[in-house]
Amino acid sequence: MELKLRLASVDSIRLIAILSVIAIHTRPFSLSSEEFNSLYYYLDLTINQLARFAVPFFFAISGYFYGVKVNKGACPLLTAKKMLLKLTILYLGWCLIYFMPYNLSMIYEYGFLGPVKVAYWNLNNAINAPLNFIFQGSKVHLWFLASLILCTSITAIFVKINAIPALFVVSLALYIIGVLAKSYSATELGLEIEFNTRNGPFFGMLLFVTGYWLSSKTPTERWFHLGWIIFLLGVLTHFAEIYILMKVYKTSMLQDFVFGTYFMGVGATLLSLSNHKVLSNKMFATLGKMTLGIYASHFIFVDLLRPLDKLLNHPLWELFFVVLVLGLSVAFTKLLSKSKYTKKLVE
């Protein structure tokens, strides 16, 4: 299969992944899941944990396309420099946006000056916890951009000095440390680290490097079937882990990353690169191209619609909330892309 930098199947999976991210942040059925063992509880849990493939996929596919350029003869450091400039503009730009008093829904909770109060509190938190701000930004989902900056930088250095085996070892060690210090922290193997290992390069590095390694292979439609196998293996492992952790160690079943999550992300990446006709949907692919802008902006609409979400505690609304946030984010991304001053925030 001829290699292309733009594959419809990749953009289709990107759309599914960004829908999954929105589902994580809107938490469908969570307001109805107060009763443990209820149907809504299991729907909330299943949707939330299945959606965890999304960010690992974003890391892996970013590493893949970085590798494609390097394998074509581009300088690893110069290629990374271009990516890092784009990512840094995105990260700092959206950090600034989320510092602004945009959240008008806070008027209902804190009065007319509610949005200003929340903006002040966010700024104050950043000043008092600068390390957390560096790795996470002014809004929780921006950790991905900060982590991707680190993953790209570290990978580029190792690739430049041709130390790929060492890169894999370091990446694997970081992932293991990340899991043991977060989801496995309550176990006998758990690590006590006063740092949220979801942030930083702990989880993203191994996925980014895996994507880089995949870029040296030739994708075929067989990757579609292999991708499903690895993805389903990841799902089974992920859910088995969170169940055992809950049953034995009384931890929450809502986890960001466990060991199985890695395989969910890799499986989705192989599916996307297969260029299978099932995934070649033009409408999906068109929306998938806007993933970066949707990812960065969607929390604005999650926040603005949160009071309505609390008011309309209905199953149909729970699903519509996800679609509504996606639609508003798409419209906002299109709007920002029309100006030369704001297009760098979404492209």
Side-chain angles (χ1 to χ4, degrees):
M1 183 178 73
E2 182 184 354
L3 183 62
K4 299 177 183 178
L5 282 180
R6 193 99 238 172
L7 293 174
S9 54
V10 171
D11 286 325
S12 293
I13 296 294
R14 278 189 174 124
L15 176 61
I16 297 171
I18 197 60
L19 266 170
S20 298
V21 169
I22 293 172
I24 290 172
H25 295 146
T26 54
R27 291 286 304 276
F29 306 108
S30 62
L31 292 178
S32 304
S33 64
E34 294 177 0
E35 184 183 347
F36 187 73
N37 287 333
S38 70
L39 172 62
Y40 290 139
Y41 169 80
Y42 287 113
L43 279 173
D44 174 30
L45 175 65
T46 302
I47 291 171
N48 185 279
Q49 291 302 285
L50 273 178
R52 297 294 167 174
F53 85 90
V55 172
F57 162 73
F58 287 140
F59 277 119
I61 205 66
S62 298
Y64 177 84
F65 285 117
Y66 168 74
V68 166
K69 294 174 184 176
V70 172
N71 291 332
K72 284 187 172 183
C75 173
L77 295 182
L78 289 179
T79 302
K81 182 180 179 181
K82 292 179 182 178
M83 289 179 63
L84 292 171
L85 178 61
K86 176 181 178 180
L87 288 170
T88 302
I89 291 173
L90 273 166
Y91 181 62
L92 295 179
W94 284 100
C95 279
L96 179 61
I97 289 171
Y98 282 105
F99 271 136
M100 294 180 180
Y102 70 90
N103 193 357
L104 299 179
S105 68
M106 289 296 99
I107 292 175
Y108 296 100
E109 195 165 345
Y110 299 109
F112 184 72
L113 293 178
V116 177
K117 289 180 180 178
V118 172
Y120 169 76
W121 293 332
N122 289 339
L123 181 60
N124 192 52
N125 288 336
I127 294 171
N128 292 328
L131 187 64
N132 186 62
F133 170 70
I134 290 171
F135 288 104
Q136 181 175 287
S138 57
K139 199 67 179 176
V140 64
H141 70 303
L142 297 179
W143 75 269
F144 167 70
L145 295 177
S147 180
L148 189 56
I149 289 171
L150 286 172
C151 294
T152 305
S153 304
I154 296 169
T155 301
I157 293 170
F158 275 87
V159 172
K160 180 63 177 178
I161 63 176
N162 197 27
I164 307 303
L167 176 60
F168 271 102
V169 171
V170 169
S171 302
L172 180 59
L174 285 171
Y175 194 96
I176 292 172
I177 292 170
V179 171
L180 296 182
K182 192 165 174 63
S183 55
Y184 278 67
S185 61
T187 71
E188 293 83 358
L189 298 174
L191 301 175
E192 290 188 13
I193 300 177
E194 292 186 6
F195 181 79
N196 185 354
T197 53
R198 181 208 57 187
N199 301 333
F202 291 93
F203 295 115
M205 271 296 297
L206 184 59
L207 288 149
F208 189 91
V209 171
T210 301
Y212 173 80
W213 175 76
L214 286 173
S215 71
S216 64
K217 313 300 177 183
T218 302
T220 68
E221 285 199 357
R222 291 181 180 178
W223 284 25
F224 180 79
H225 304 290
L226 180 60
W228 270 118
I229 292 170
I230 294 176
F231 178 78
L232 292 175
L233 173 65
V235 170
L236 290 173
T237 307
H238 180 104
F239 276 84
E241 286 180 83
I242 62 173
Y243 176 77
I244 293 171
L245 287 170
M246 181 275 293
K247 203 71 175 176
V248 178
Y249 299 100
K250 311 303 179 185
T251 63
S252 170
M253 290 185 73
L254 298 176
Q255 298 290 344
D256 297 323
F257 286 86
V258 287
F259 290 112
T261 321
Y262 166 81
F263 297 101
M264 291 168 66
V266 172
T269 304
L270 290 172
L271 281 168
S272 74
L273 293 170
S274 69
N275 206 24
H276 197 280
K277 59 183 179 182
V278 172
L279 297 172
S280 297
N281 184 293
K282 289 186 178 180
M283 184 184 73
F284 280 19
T286 299
L287 293 173
K289 292 176 184 178
M290 295 186 280
T291 298
L292 200 55
I294 296 170
Y295 183 92
S297 66
H298 78 276
F299 234 119
I300 291 175
F301 305 106
V302 173
D303 286 339
L304 289 174
L305 293 170
R306 186 65 72 187
L308 189 60
D309 180 47
K310 292 179 180 178
L311 181 66
L312 300 176
N313 187 13
H314 189 278
L316 290 179
W317 162 257
E318 299 297 319
L319 295 175
F320 181 64
F321 189 17
V322 177
V323 177
L324 181 58
V325 169
L326 174 67
L328 291 171
S329 302
V330 167
F332 192 52
T333 297
K334 285 184 176 181
L335 179 65
L336 293 180
S337 68
K338 293 183 181 298
S339 170
K340 64 178 181 179
Y341 300 108
T342 57
K343 66 185 298 183
K344 289 185 178 181
L345 293 172
V346 294
E347 295 181 358

